[in-house]
Amino acid sequence: ILDWMLMPLLLIWPLSVILIQNVANSIADDPYDQALAENAMTIARLVSVTDGKVKVGLHPQSRSILRTDESDTIYFQVLGFRNELVAGDLAIRWVEPPPKIVPEQVYFRDDDIKGEEIRVAYLYLMPNPAQAPILVQVAETRNKRSALASRILSGVTLPQFAVIPLAVLLVWIGLGRGIEPLNRLGRMIRRRLPTDLSPIPTAGVPEEVKPVIHAFNDMMARLEQNLQAQQR
């Protein structure tokens, strides 16, 4: 019984770790996605169109503040009507606009720059419906997110190393107490004389075992009848 209980547990535990990892990544993304979206909206508010040209009123000092991060590298990009680079970094990939553009709706995606994973927040501006949209993108590497997800994962999984052995011990104790009536029944049967074919009492026997004892008593009764018939 213990083996049948432990085998599914050992199979489910790695799956639970994978599930917890996915949940931790999602939890870690939420606060940083919000900050990333705010940065994208801030840059979008600085975009203007003058004489058909897209301009970004981003002060050099503001650019340095935007790029200041101890853990991650932050990139931003503004592409004009013809997907020309107006400001920022060319390294962020261009993304196909959705079939129906919702102006200033922030979207998110996972991407990479030179093999390093990044998280991208992007939105489209449509100052002139007759022209193509302006694309604003802000991206950052995933170091902070990975660190937070690792802390969440370790905080959840480490206690399991203590809980699982404790659960196994409690199950072992519970099974021992549950099987004790069977052990008493076995000792009682072993003490019976070979000629004692009287029914085995079912008092104190687990409900799951009573059908077996009833069948055994029925067999003993038939055996006694056969012996009496042979004696006659």
Side-chain angles (χ1 to χ4, degrees), residues 9-228:
L9 182 62
L10 294 176
L11 292 176
I12 292 174
W13 187 71
L15 297 178
S16 69
V17 173
I18 296 175
L19 179 61
I20 293 172
Q21 177 69 58
N22 293 332
V23 173
N25 289 334
S26 176
I27 294 174
D29 277 340
D30 288 341
Y32 294 117
D33 280 355
Q34 183 177 357
L36 204 62
E38 290 176 358
N39 289 337
M41 291 295 296
T42 299
I43 295 176
R45 295 188 190 100
L46 300 176
V47 175
S48 61
V49 179
T50 304
D51 297 331
K53 293 183 179 181
V54 180
K55 296 181 180 180
V56 181
L58 190 61
H59 193 272
Q61 186 177 2
S62 301
R63 297 191 183 200
S64 62
I65 295 175
L66 180 64
R67 295 182 182 276
T68 301
D69 193 293
E70 296 180 357
S71 302
D72 287 295
T73 303
I74 299 178
Y75 306 89
F76 77 96
Q77 181 187 87
V78 178
L79 299 181
F81 298 120
R82 295 179 298 276
N83 295 330
E84 76 278 9
L85 181 65
V86 178
D89 306 281
L90 190 60
I92 306 177
R93 290 191 181 94
W94 175 81
V95 61
E96 182 75 25
K100 184 178 180 180
I101 298 177
V102 179
E104 298 187 6
Q105 170 68 44
V106 180
Y107 303 92
F108 297 94
R109 74 177 192 276
D110 294 318
D111 210 328
D112 68 273
I113 292 179
K114 298 179 181 179
E116 187 174 16
E117 294 183 354
I118 59 171
R119 182 73 167 171
V120 185
Y122 60 102
L123 57 94
Y124 297 92
L125 304 176
M126 298 189 66
N128 187 352
Q131 291 181 300
I134 299 171
L135 176 60
V136 178
Q137 300 192 91
V138 178
E140 70 175 358
T141 53
R142 301 187 63 95
N143 297 329
K144 293 193 299 288
R145 300 166 188 261
S146 299
L148 178 57
S150 297
R151 289 198 299 270
I152 295 173
L153 181 62
S154 60
V156 174
T157 56
L158 287 180
Q160 293 181 359
F161 287 103
V163 171
I164 291 177
L166 179 61
V168 172
L169 178 62
L170 294 177
V171 169
W172 176 266
I173 295 174
L175 286 177
R177 297 190 62 178
I179 295 175
E180 180 58 27
L182 297 180
N183 294 331
R184 290 198 302 267
L185 179 63
R187 291 192 295 269
M188 183 184 68
I189 293 175
R190 284 193 295 271
R191 288 196 300 266
R192 291 167 67 101
L193 296 174
T195 57
D196 186 2
L197 300 180
S198 61
I200 298 173
T202 58
V205 175
E207 291 293 330
E208 294 82 2
V209 184
K210 286 183 178 180
V212 178
I213 296 179
H214 290 319
F216 187 77
N217 287 337
D218 183 65
M219 183 189 67
M220 297 289 283
R222 295 196 305 271
L223 179 60
E224 185 175 10
Q225 291 175 0
N226 290 336
L227 292 176
Q228 291 176 359

